């Protein structure tokens, strides 16, 4: 809260992630029409950012620039600026940073999400660092926001080091903390958020880097409520969780998002508009 004004909370809807399939959740939006429907429903329920991956006809991750561009344009036409469009990148698919560069140049989403352990792996070398630098620089040139996904608190030190080295630019100021793990029984422990925030405080990043939280499994609501209470932003969605606390499947994005919007209001944090989300997560662009 600044000068008595509540800090808005950015609500991102994580539509499908980069690893899940219809086997995990029959309602997972993969086809273009499904993404359009999910995005509109999420917008109507108060989300201001739509985070998604593009899939091919078999439901596998797709990095084809033409196909991704068509999906981004369709979403942009459907939403008419009411949501920030964030394209998720998956290097485990075999796509290289150079291919991601070609994809982003063609599709030009508002933002992209990149897992830190993929773009700058622990066993990487100078070539990996140079490729990552080139990709981040391209995003700057194209005015595409970058959100870096982190699933271990210790990776904040890794992020900070590469920021100090200049590999990750100062303009890259958005992190997503992913709590828990996927699998047959997705789960997370909300208290693990403390480790991420301790890492941020250690590197003097609190107040300088925007941070959001996603959480696997039915503990999602508890984890995201804690994030909002502590000043962070949230990324619910079927990419991470499809069940209520009682274990019942959500019937729609509205079911998942409405309760979180109500909790944000009770915490004195209004949900951010698309314009506010762009500024909160990615700065003025």
């Amino acid at each position: 809260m600044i000068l008595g004004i509540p800090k808005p909370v950015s609500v991102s809807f994580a539509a499908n992630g980069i690893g899940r399939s219809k086997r995990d959740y029959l309602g997972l939006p993969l086809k273009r029409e499904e993404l359009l429907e999910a995005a509109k429903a999420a917008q109507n329920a108060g989300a201001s950012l739509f985070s998604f991956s593009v899939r091919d006809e078999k439901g596998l991750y797709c990095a084809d620039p033409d196909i991704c561009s068509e999906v981004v344009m369709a979403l942009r036409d459907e939403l008419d600026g009411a949501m920030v469009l964030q394209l998720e990148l998956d290097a485990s698919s075999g796509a290289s940073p150079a291919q991601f560069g070609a994809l982003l140049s063609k599709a030009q989403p508002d933002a992209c999400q990149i897992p830190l352990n993929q773009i700058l792996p622990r066993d990487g070398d100078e070539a990996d660092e140079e490729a990552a630098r080139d990709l981040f620089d391209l995003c700057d040139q194209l005015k595409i926001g970058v959100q870096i996904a982190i699933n271990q608190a210790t990776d904040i030190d890794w992020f900070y080091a590469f920021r100090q080295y200049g590999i990750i630019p100062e303009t890259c100021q958005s992190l997503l903390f992913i709590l828990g793990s996927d699998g047959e029984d997705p789960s997370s422990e909300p208290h693990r958020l403390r480790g991420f925030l301790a890492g941020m405080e250690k590197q003097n990043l609190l107040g300088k880097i925007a941070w959001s939280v996603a959480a696997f499994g039915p503990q999602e609501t508890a984890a995201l409520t804690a994030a909002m209470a502590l000043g962070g932003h949230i990324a619910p969605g079927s990419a991470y969780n499809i069940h209520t606390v009682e274990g019942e499947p959500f019937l729609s994005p509205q079911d998942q998002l409405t309760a979180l919007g109500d909790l944000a209001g009770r915490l004195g944090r209004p949900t951010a508009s698309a314009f506010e989300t762009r500024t909160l997560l990615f700065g003025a662009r």
Side-chain angles (χ1 to χ4, degrees):
M1 185 175 293
I2 301 173
L3 299 178
I5 301 174
K7 177 184 176 183
V9 58
S10 171
V11 180
S12 305
F13 184 71
N16 55 9
I18 56 179
R20 287 194 160 184
S21 70
K22 293 284 189 181
R23 292 181 181 179
D24 300 303
Y25 175 44
L26 192 59
L28 194 73
L30 299 182
K31 297 179 179 179
R32 181 168 68 175
E33 294 74 19
E34 294 172 337
L35 287 169
L36 293 175
E37 182 179 350
K40 197 65 180 177
Q43 178 211 336
N44 290 336
S48 55
L49 184 149
F50 188 69
S51 189
F52 66 100
S53 65
V54 176
R55 307 298 182 90
D56 62 18
E57 293 180 353
K58 296 180 179 179
L60 301 176
Y61 181 82
C62 177
D64 181 277
D66 292 325
I67 295 174
C68 291
S69 179
E70 289 175 4
V71 173
V72 170
M73 284 192 293
L75 284 165
R76 193 159 277 146
D77 289 343
E78 178 71 22
L79 298 168
D80 194 26
M83 297 185 84
V84 176
L85 298 179
Q86 179 170 272
L87 186 59
E88 298 185 19
L89 307 181
D90 178 22
S92 69
S93 66
S96 67
Q99 287 175 296
F100 289 141
L103 184 163
L104 294 172
S105 296
K106 178 75 174 181
Q108 299 218 7
D110 301 311
C112 64
Q113 183 187 107
I114 308 174
L116 180 65
N117 60 5
Q118 290 186 5
I119 193 68
L120 287 165
R122 293 277 181 169
D123 58 354
D125 54 23
E126 290 185 6
D128 294 311
E129 294 175 9
E130 194 61 36
R133 189 202 307 268
D134 289 345
L135 183 60
F136 289 129
D137 287 347
L138 177 66
C139 289
D140 257 359
Q141 293 167 21
L142 297 175
K143 299 189 183 303
I144 294 174
V146 176
Q147 182 178 66
I148 295 181
I150 291 177
N151 54 22
Q152 296 185 61
T154 52
D155 281 345
I156 291 173
D157 292 337
W158 196 242
F159 166 80
Y160 178 78
F162 280 110
R163 206 160 182 259
Q164 292 296 102
Y165 298 155
I167 304 297
I168 298 175
E170 292 289 321
T171 52
C172 182
Q173 55 187 37
S174 182
L175 294 178
L176 174 67
F177 304 150
I178 301 176
L179 305 184
S181 58
D182 206 353
E184 292 186 9
D185 186 22
S187 62
S188 57
E189 298 176 327
H191 70 85
R192 293 198 178 276
L193 175 57
R194 292 182 297 182
F196 288 88
L197 296 181
M200 293 279 283
E201 185 173 20
K202 171 187 172 184
Q203 301 297 356
N204 195 30
L205 294 174
L206 287 175
K208 299 176 182 178
I209 298 290
W211 56 275
S212 305
V213 174
F216 282 106
Q219 288 296 310
E220 176 188 66
T221 298
L224 302 194
T225 301
M228 290 190 289
L230 292 168
H233 306 284
I234 60 173
S238 45
Y240 302 104
N241 176 47
I242 60 172
H243 292 108
T244 66
V245 176
E246 293 79 20
E248 297 297 323
F250 290 114
L251 298 179
S252 68
Q254 287 99 324
D255 287 348
Q256 193 164 10
L257 291 166
T258 300
L260 289 165
D262 291 343
L263 287 167
R266 294 179 187 180
L267 291 168
R269 297 193 62 190
T271 53
S273 66
F275 176 80
E276 289 171 325
T277 286
R278 285 187 182 92
T279 303
L280 287 166
L281 299 188
F282 309 113
R285 287 183 176 269

